Amino acid sequence: DQLPLLRQADLEIVEELRDPLHGLIDQHLVMRKGGMQPGNALIVTKPVGTGTLFAADMRHEARGRWISDALANMTQSNRAGAECLHAHGAMACTDITGFGLLGHLVEMVKASSVDAEVDLASVPYLDGALETVAKGIMSSLQPQNLRLRRAVRELERISGDPRYPLLFDPQTAGGLLASVPHDRAEACLEDLHRLGYARAAVVGTVLPESNHPEPITILS
């Protein structure tokens, strides 16, 4: 009513901008948090550790090459990785951001009604992350994420492992976490490495849902 001088074409553009629909996607191409199946391999496309590294950088306790490496990983797009995972049969996938690797895995197992097993030795870590965590340097978001440790089975057995805190490390521009059919995992990793995700790794396995209240088992 307040735009009487606009041409009809202009009005059509205005109406289009008011439309809350921002895009369309083929529903068969969507990867959701749910959909993991027992026996699937869990794949992470990028190393974790940005939270502790940048907390250390603010204290002037991080080496320059650690931060350079972290920035290079952060600026690497997840697009090619997502396409690769989908091509190898991944139906469940999410990006690893503020809730850390464990937090996002908990979301996925709940959405899929499964359990999961994670091997700490297989998780890729950014250069320097183990050193800064060993000094007790954590992101300010770490304590909030630690509340999710209630999802971990036999917590006393694993909580003393020096790599354990990095499961809760909040990521900025982190990689992807996906479940891929076991028989496609090796070929998927080869393709991810070829695409430039040099530290992509199989970090665990999806298990059938159990009667335990804690769905996550961590191997050291």
Side-chain angles (χ1 to χ4, degrees):
D1 295 337
Q2 299 178 6
L3 302 172
L5 299 180
L6 286 179
R7 298 171 301 162
Q8 182 61 33
D10 295 326
L11 288 172
E12 291 175 357
I13 293 174
V14 170
E15 288 303 316
E16 184 176 346
L17 291 173
R18 289 174 178 168
D19 191 337
L21 183 65
H22 297 296
L24 299 171
I25 188 169
D26 186 335
Q27 63 178 347
H28 300 294
L29 299 178
V30 177
M31 294 186 290
R32 298 178 172 87
K33 292 179 181 178
M36 295 197 298
Q37 299 295 320
N40 283 174
L42 292 172
I43 290 182
V44 167
T45 61
K46 293 183 184 181
V48 299
T50 60
T52 180
L53 285 172
F54 284 97
D57 188 51
M58 287 189 288
R59 301 184 188 185
H60 306 288
E61 293 193 41
R63 298 181 183 179
R65 60 181 176 84
W66 295 347
I67 300 303
S68 295
D69 177 58
L71 289 171
N73 276 273
M74 289 164 61
T75 55
Q76 183 180 25
S77 171
N78 282 325
R79 177 175 179 175
E83 291 173 348
C84 178
L85 290 164
H86 189 273
H88 285 279
M91 294 302 294
C93 181
T94 189
D95 57 340
I96 305 172
T97 53
F99 294 132
L101 173 56
L102 190 95
H104 289 288
L105 178 58
V106 169
E107 291 179 331
M108 295 179 77
V109 298
K110 287 184 176 180
S112 305
S113 298
V114 295
D115 286 11
E117 184 176 82
V118 176
D119 182 4
L120 275 178
S122 298
V123 176
Y125 307 104
L126 286 167
D127 293 345
L130 288 169
E131 289 88 338
T132 53
V133 161
K135 293 181 178 181
I137 302 174
M138 311 286 183
S139 164
S140 59
L141 294 177
Q142 183 92 357
Q144 179 177 332
N145 287 351
L146 278 172
R147 292 182 297 178
L148 294 168
R149 64 184 179 272
R150 62 181 180 272
V152 178
R153 199 174 304 169
E154 299 178 7
L155 183 61
E156 298 78 9
R157 175 182 58 80
I158 197 68
S159 59
D161 191 295
R163 299 163 295 189
Y164 169 76
L166 285 168
L167 293 179
F168 303 89
D169 189 68
Q171 302 306 289
T172 300
L176 301 174
L177 170 63
S179 69
V180 174
H182 184 269
D183 60 354
R184 302 287 298 274
E186 184 176 348
C188 183
L189 273 188
E190 290 177 359
D191 284 346
L192 285 169
H193 294 160
R194 178 178 55 80
L195 290 167
Y197 302 92
R199 283 176 275 184
V202 173
V203 300
T205 305
V206 180
L207 304 174
E209 187 175 29
S210 70
N211 294 323
H212 290 279
E214 305 90 0
I216 309 296
T217 298
I218 300 175
L219 306 177
S220 58

